[in-house]
Amino acid sequence: MSTQKFPATRLRRNRFDDATRRLVAENKLSSDDLIWPIFIREGGGEPVEINTMPGVFRTGLDGLAKHVEEAAKLRIPAIALFPVTPPELKNAQGTEALNPDNLICQAARLLKREFPHIALLGDVALDPYTDHGHDGLLVDDYVANDASVEILTAQAINQAEAGIDIISPSDMMDGRIGAIRAGLDGAGFINTRLMSYAAKYASAFYGPFRDAIGSQGALRGDKKTYQMNPANSDEALREVAMDIAEGADMVMVKPGMPYLDIIRRVKERFEIPVFAYQVSGEYAMIAAAGRNGWLDEDKAMLESLLAFKRAGCSGVLTYYAVRAARLLEA
Ligand code: PBG
C-alpha cells in the first residue's frame, strides 16, 4: 500500500472504461438481494395508491395474486406482509393479531398456494391491531414488556401456522426472540426462520408507513420507551448480540440509509446475515424528489440499494424491490 505513488499509480486507470469498471466492482446488487414489503387491505377492487408513498399500493386479497405476479417472475426471493386493519377490528389488546383468519393469515395461505417459492415474512408487533397504535400492551400508559412478549409469541405461532416462512419481530420488546423461538419450536415449527428487527430506532422516517397501515392517527405518544435512541450505536451491538444469543437467524437494522454506520459495525462484529429496511420515509424522499424532477429516481434508488450492499448487507427490504428488479434483470 505504501508504494502507491503518483504518477506510477493512477487510480483513475481502473475507472477508464465500462469493462474495467465492471471488472473491479467490489459489490453487486441483484434481485436476490430484495425483499418487497406490501400492504394488504380488506375487500376487492383495484389497488389503492398511498398518498404519502406514490407508487405504493394497498392491495385487497382479490387482487393480491395479480399484484405479486411480476415480483415472482423477477425472482424476488421474499415478500413482507403488512395488514391495513379496519378500525372496528382494533382494540387495546390487539387480539386480531391472533385471529387465524386475519388479513395476514389469509394472504399467507393464498400466496403460499400461488407462489410456493416466494418466502413470506410476517411482521410480529401489535401496532396494526391496537387502537392505541403501540407495538405491545399498555399498562398504566407504559408498554409492558413481558405481557407483550406473551401475546407476540402467540402472534408468531399464528403466522407460522398460516404458512409464514420468516418471522420478523419488529416490536423491540426485551427477550422476545428467545420466547418466540421457544414458542415456534414447541409448536413444531423448528425450521421457521427468525429475522429480528434487532436494532430498530425510534425514527421520524416511519411516518408514511403509519399512514399506510392507518396507525398514524391512532398512535398515542411515541415509541421511545422501546425503540432505540438515534443517538446510540454501542447499544445496537448489545441488541444484536442478545438477539443472536436468543436464536435469531438473521438480523435487521432499521431505518436504512441514515444508519449505514450501524450496519457496518454489526457486520464487522458478528458472523450473521444482516439486512436493512429502507423504510417508508426514505422511499418517500426519493420518490418525491424523482416525481418533482429534482433527481433521477431510478438512478438514486439503485445507488441507495447498492450502498446497503457496500455497508455489509445480505439484502434490503425496499418498496422499490419490483422497480429495482425490473432494471437489474433487464
Ligand atoms: C411496526 C412497524 C413499523 C415499520 C415496520 N413495522 C412502524 C413503527 O415501528 O412504527 C416501519 C416501516 C416503514 O416505515 O416503512 N412495528
Side-chain angles (χ1 to χ4, degrees), residues 37 39 53 82 123-128 133 135 170-171 197 200-201 205-210 213 215 219 223 226-227 254 277-281 319:
F39 298 103
M53 301 175 76
F82 293 96
D123 198 82
V124 167
L126 297 183
D127 57 327
D135 293 20
S170 69
D171 55 284
Y197 288 68
K200 175 170 176 179
Y201 288 85
F205 289 97
Y206 308 148
F209 172 95
R210 292 178 190 168
I213 67 161
S215 70
L219 181 62
K223 300 190 177 184
Y226 46 108
Q227 298 181 346
K254 181 183 173 193
Y277 198 143
Q278 181 176 56
V279 300
S280 55
Y319 301 99

Side-chain angles (χ1 to χ4, degrees), residues 27 256 259-268 274 276 305-314:
N27 292 283
Y259 296 85
L260 292 178
D261 59 317
I262 307 298
I263 294 165
R264 173 48 51 191
R265 282 194 81 189
V266 170
K267 192 62 201 173
E268 277 174 0
V274 181
L305 296 176
L306 181 61
F308 290 115
K309 296 290 291 180
R310 194 195 60 237
C313 282
S314 297

Side-chain angles (χ1 to χ4, degrees), residues 112-132:
K112 283 296 359 161
R113 202 166 53 233
E114 299 279 332
F115 308 101
H117 300 299
I118 297 184
L120 299 180
L121 271 79
D123 198 82
V124 167
L126 297 183
D127 57 327
Y129 310 101
T130 50
D131 53 16
H132 46 69

Side-chain angles (χ1 to χ4, degrees), residues 1-9:
M1 282 295 180
S2 58
T3 59
Q4 288 189 168
K5 229 175 145 193
F6 180 81
T9 299

Side-chain angles (χ1 to χ4, degrees), residues 85-105:
T85 309
E88 64 274 15
L89 294 179
K90 297 187 182 186
N91 58 30
Q93 282 78 39
T95 46
E96 179 65 7
L98 308 183
N99 175 2
D101 282 319
N102 68 22
L103 276 171
I104 290 306
C105 294

